[in-house]
Amino acid sequence: MSGATALLKKRSVQVTAVLWVLGSLAVFPLAGGALPFTRGPEPLPVATEVINGQLNLLAAGIVIAIAIFMTRNRPKLDLATRAPERRVAKTEVIALIVYGTAVSLGGLIIGNLAGDHAYSLHLPGTIYGLHHQTLAPGWVLGWAVYNFVFFAALPYFVFRRRGYTNAQLSLHSSDRRKDALLIVAVLLVESLLELTAVSDEILSLSPGQLLLGVPLAFTVNFFGAVLPIMIFIYAILLPRFARLTGSVTMTTILGGVAYAVIHIFESWAVYDTLPAGILTVIFLFLQYMGPGLIKSVLTLRTGNAWIHVWGYHAIAPHVTLDTVTFLDSLNLRGPTS
């Protein structure tokens, strides 16, 4: 309890909490009774969407608490030691922000030229399901290749060429047994939360549908979303946040903020009016801030960015929830038996 009390006394946590509450409350006057976007098969009441955002953060808190408990006896890790000195780290962060903005804008343009959506960091329909619409296989392939090349392969290559090792990029395990146990625990808890609170439709798929959908959802998401996010934010940016802030708490928060911001052009996002744009940004944070905090905590506590890949991204939710979405969006559901 003393640790939680100390955490709540931190100014960065207090400011984040106030902004979270103000943003959640601002939804109601801005929405005027209905949101300008729909993330699922049917529009939900505004209050329900806001409550779901709070539950999303609560679920993240549960996973974070498990991660902290399971890593309580590990040697204390200072992720800042994996980044260069402050001046260089600042230059690299600025360059990464400019680069990431350019890549996101490029994805917006190219994705819409190739189809109906931007190349964002998640496929249309991710988690919520893409109903009454299909995606062209060529567009999906282009999405995966674009994100992998520009958010994963090129940044990794550049920083390796700059002399950073895989250990400095948090791509190395210092304790494989403990990392494996943590992965299993997080994966089981997260999968249970998703299947009970979000959707258990994957359990109704036939063996043939699972045989087609599971490897498809895993592979496409792994290259198009999981690796790009891991490399760009948690392997490269997170240690530099630690160097610049000198604070584990602030680094964790910035990891959550970065994860929300990098999804700025999600398929459901609407920016045609100022209220719609503000609502989109608020819900990006309600949806992605919690998961971003989890990824930050897992990386900061273990020094291994792969843990969130296997425990909290590649399988849950991108197999548990998105297998059905892939089959439907690519019109591959086929026979039910």
Side-chain angles (χ1 to χ4, degrees), residues 74-97:
R74 287 196 177 202
K76 189 175 181 179
L77 172 69
D78 184 3
L79 207 66
T81 61
R82 298 181 176 182
E85 56 94 10
R86 185 179 177 84
R87 180 183 60 81
V88 177
K90 181 179 180 180
T91 300
E92 289 179 342
V93 167
I94 293 173
L96 285 164
I97 291 173

Side-chain angles (χ1 to χ4, degrees), residues 263-330:
H263 293 92
I264 192 71
F265 295 126
E266 284 287 85
S267 60
W268 53 265
V270 176
Y271 295 105
D272 55 359
T273 67
L274 181 60
I278 295 173
L279 284 167
T280 293
V281 172
I282 290 173
F283 275 92
L284 284 173
F285 277 86
L286 292 182
Q287 179 173 337
Y288 288 117
M289 183 73 174
L293 294 176
I294 292 173
K295 298 172 196 297
S296 294
V297 169
L298 289 172
T299 305
L300 285 162
R301 300 284 294 193
T302 66
N304 183 1
W306 285 106
I307 290 179
H308 89 257
V309 166
W310 304 119
Y312 190 81
H313 208 182
I315 299 172
H318 288 318
V319 169
T320 52
L321 297 180
D322 287 342
T323 294
V324 173
T325 301
F326 263 81
L327 292 173
D328 288 343
S329 62
L330 293 173

Side-chain angles (χ1 to χ4, degrees), residues 10 76 78-80 86 238-252 254:
K10 292 182 179 292
K76 189 175 181 179
D78 184 3
L79 207 66
R86 185 179 177 84
L238 202 67
R240 284 147 186 82
F241 289 159
R243 175 66 78 187
L244 294 178
T245 64
S247 165
V248 172
T249 303
M250 194 63 206
T251 300
T252 303
L254 287 176

Side-chain angles (χ1 to χ4, degrees), residues 107-108 110-113 115-119 124 130 133 135 139 267-268:
L108 172 67
I110 297 173
N112 278 293
L113 287 175
D116 297 324
H117 304 283
Y119 285 161
L130 186 66
Q133 186 177 358
L135 297 174
W139 188 92
S267 60
W268 53 265

Side-chain angles (χ1 to χ4, degrees), residues 151-153 155-156 171 226-237:
F151 276 117
Y156 175 77
L171 301 176
V226 177
L227 284 180
I229 287 166
M230 179 189 73
I231 295 295
F232 194 76
I233 298 179
Y234 299 98
I236 300 176
L237 274 174

Side-chain angles (χ1 to χ4, degrees), residues 173-194:
S173 173
S174 60
D175 193 324
R176 293 184 179 181
R177 185 183 68 84
K178 289 182 179 179
D179 285 353
L181 290 174
L182 181 57
I183 288 169
V184 171
V186 171
L187 178 59
L188 288 176
V189 171
E190 179 59 23
S191 297
L192 181 62
L193 288 171
E194 291 170 0

